[in-house]
Amino acid sequence: MNQNRINRVLEGMKTRQLTQLFLADWKSIWYLTGYSCEPYERMYGLYLSSSGRIVFVLNRLFMDPGDEFEKIWYTDTDDGPKLLSELIDPEKPLGIDKIWPARFLIPLMGYAPKATPVLASDIVDDCRARKDEEEILLMKEASRVNDVVNHRARDFIHEGATEKEVADYIDKQYRAEGSESNAFTTIVSFGPNAADPHHEPDDTVLREGDCVLIDMGCRKNRYCSDMTRTFFYKTVSDEQEKVYSIVKDANASAEKALRPGVKLSDIDGIARKIITDAGYGPYFTHRLGHFIGQDDHELGDVSSASEIIAEEGMIFSIEPGIYLPGKFGVRIEDLVLITKDGVEVLNHESKELTVLQ
């Protein structure tokens, strides 16, 4: 059990004036307790009260989290929500997790109608957004692996290769480096396919003059990495070179402005203004960045609508892009860590324009 993290959650409950919280996200539960269980369709959760009481709600099929925890067990033939209704304070609002299924919540509301459900998983998500020293080391290691594999992928690309072949190579290299898996479906996009920011690799064959956009991330020791680099094969056109320079400038300028206390909406604005002033504003079609940790996309973003102020320990992506339908796309993405005095970029693979031969 990580008491420091639990104390931060209890303080968040106090700020929200909540006396009880039920968490269902198994990654958040591991984050607080060190116990890992992926429940699939079964009800599972961790109950926290403002008094400091912590109770696991567990199916008999699950492993025992240990003697230090209070537990309520149930079987597949028991009424889980009814058991939970007997645990909670039925007269007080109950903070619930954003992922908790309606098939459990609605029956609970029937058993305890005065325990008004309040969406409150952001209390834990806000804690997860500010990484502690242990998490920072794990995320730096995941990013180191990403750098290594990205460099290998660049060298692997060859005439006649397909997007799928390159993506499969990347995934195999992650395993060779001790990663559990990729953090998301590896994106490899050649030529016009790169104009779709979330294109999934297919049998498209690499051709001279194509851009090669690779968006990749691994999961190692539970924590994710994420980066994008864009290369060009054999030749690069004047337009491709121009767009690449604009995106690179947007990436570098946004990263340079980061430090504790700045509004993340302002950081999005810096990158977006560079791209807009160059005449490509309509072709930057997504937010500048997203938070990351155990999940590749966690609560929090770097966008024009973000109300988040940068704080020490936050890790998120900076990934401006320009996508020209029918032509090509360019995206450059790093993960950044907000430090006490500024920012540390976690990816070290070159962002200089590279023409692969």
Side-chain angles (χ1 to χ4, degrees):
M1 181 166 62
N2 192 311
Q3 194 61 52
N4 287 335
R5 294 175 184 174
I6 289 172
N7 289 342
R8 289 166 64 192
V9 171
L10 293 175
E11 186 61 33
M13 291 171 60
K14 182 179 179 181
T15 300
R16 290 280 297 274
Q17 298 182 321
L18 277 175
T19 61
Q20 52 184 353
L21 173 66
F22 187 70
L23 295 174
D25 184 337
W26 63 277
K27 292 177 182 176
S28 288
I29 294 172
W30 173 85
Y31 172 79
L32 296 177
T33 68
Y35 173 74
S36 182
C37 172
E38 191 169 359
Y40 300 103
E41 76 275 12
R42 291 179 171 87
M43 194 180 86
Y44 167 62
L46 188 72
Y47 174 80
L48 295 92
S49 75
S50 55
S51 67
R53 186 186 183 195
I54 300 174
V55 185
F56 272 98
V57 178
L58 301 151
N59 189 283
R60 285 289 180 186
L61 290 172
F62 303 159
M63 295 291 292
D64 192 323
D67 293 339
E68 65 179 311
F69 298 108
E70 184 179 352
K71 291 152 282 190
I72 292 179
W73 294 97
Y74 74 95
T75 69
D76 284 350
T77 56
D78 291 328
D79 188 337
K82 188 174 189 302
L83 288 173
L84 181 57
S85 74
E86 296 167 356
L87 168 66
I88 68 173
D89 184 335
E91 302 293 324
K92 298 287 181 65
L94 174 67
I96 61 165
D97 208 312
K98 61 183 181 295
I99 69 164
W100 203 38
R103 67 178 182 272
F104 301 137
L105 174 60
I106 292 174
L108 176 65
M109 293 169 64
Y111 290 127
K114 293 183 180 180
T116 307
V118 178
L119 184 60
S121 51
D122 59 299
I123 292 172
V124 183
D125 291 336
D126 286 345
C127 294
R128 286 174 58 177
R130 300 189 300 278
K131 305 297 187 284
D132 58 30
E133 291 183 8
E134 178 184 356
E135 292 178 291
I136 289 169
L137 289 175
L138 292 173
M139 294 204 66
K140 285 184 175 181
E141 170 61 11
S143 286
R144 182 197 67 79
V145 171
N146 225 17
D147 281 341
V148 167
V149 175
N150 180 269
H151 194 86
R152 291 177 188 169
R154 183 192 67 181
D155 292 342
F156 173 79
I157 292 167
H158 57 275
E159 185 174 353
T162 68
E163 294 173 342
K164 281 184 178 179
E165 287 173 346
V166 177
D168 287 346
Y169 174 82
I170 289 169
D171 294 346
K172 289 177 182 176
Q173 292 302 308
Y174 282 148
R175 292 191 291 274
E177 289 297 318
S179 301
E180 293 97 74
S181 65
N182 50 12
F184 51 88
T185 300
T186 302
I187 296 173
V188 177
S189 306
F190 296 160
N193 290 342
D196 175 2
H198 283 165
H199 171 75
E200 293 197 7
D202 58 27
D203 293 324
T204 298
V205 176
L206 182 63
R207 301 179 184 278
E208 181 173 343
D210 280 347
C211 69
V212 179
L213 188 154
I214 302 178
D215 188 345
M216 54 190 287
C218 68
R219 188 185 308 276
K220 187 172 186 189
N221 301 315
R222 292 184 178 271
Y223 283 81
C224 298
S225 57
D226 190 2
M227 69 181 294
T228 307
R229 293 293 184 265
T230 305
F231 311 110
F232 300 92
Y233 186 61
K234 296 285 189 181
T235 60
V236 58
S237 70
D238 290 343
E239 184 179 29
Q240 288 171 333
E241 188 170 355
K242 176 185 176 182
V243 167
Y244 190 90
S245 178
I246 295 164
V247 173
K248 180 171 175 280
D249 186 21
N251 171 272
S253 297
E255 291 178 355
K256 184 178 180 180
L258 282 166
R259 63 185 183 280
V262 302
K263 296 179 180 179
L264 296 191
S265 58
D266 290 344
I267 301 301
D268 179 276
I270 288 170
R272 202 164 299 278
K273 184 176 188 302
I274 289 170
I275 292 173
T276 299
D277 287 351
Y280 291 95
Y283 304 103
F284 180 16
T285 54
H286 54 75
R287 62 191 176 182
L288 181 63
H290 58 84
F291 280 58
I292 186 171
Q294 290 186 70
D295 293 307
D296 62 303
H297 283 207
E298 296 195 337
L299 185 72
D301 67 4
V302 186
S303 71
S304 60
S306 178
E307 298 180 354
I308 298 172
I309 306 297
E311 295 183 29
E312 183 179 358
M314 289 180 172
I315 296 179
F316 47 82
S317 66
I318 296 294
E319 49 181 301
I322 294 174
Y323 311 97
L324 303 179
K327 292 184 176 181
F328 63 93
V330 172
R331 181 165 66 253
I332 300 173
E333 175 186 17
D334 298 312
L335 294 187
V336 296
L337 163 68
I338 301 299
T339 64
K340 180 180 179 181
D341 302 313
V343 65
E344 179 180 350
V345 179
L346 301 188
N347 297 105
H348 304 292
E349 272 296 281
S350 173
K351 291 181 278 189
E352 296 302 315
L353 188 147
T354 300
V355 180
L356 305 173
Q357 300 296 331

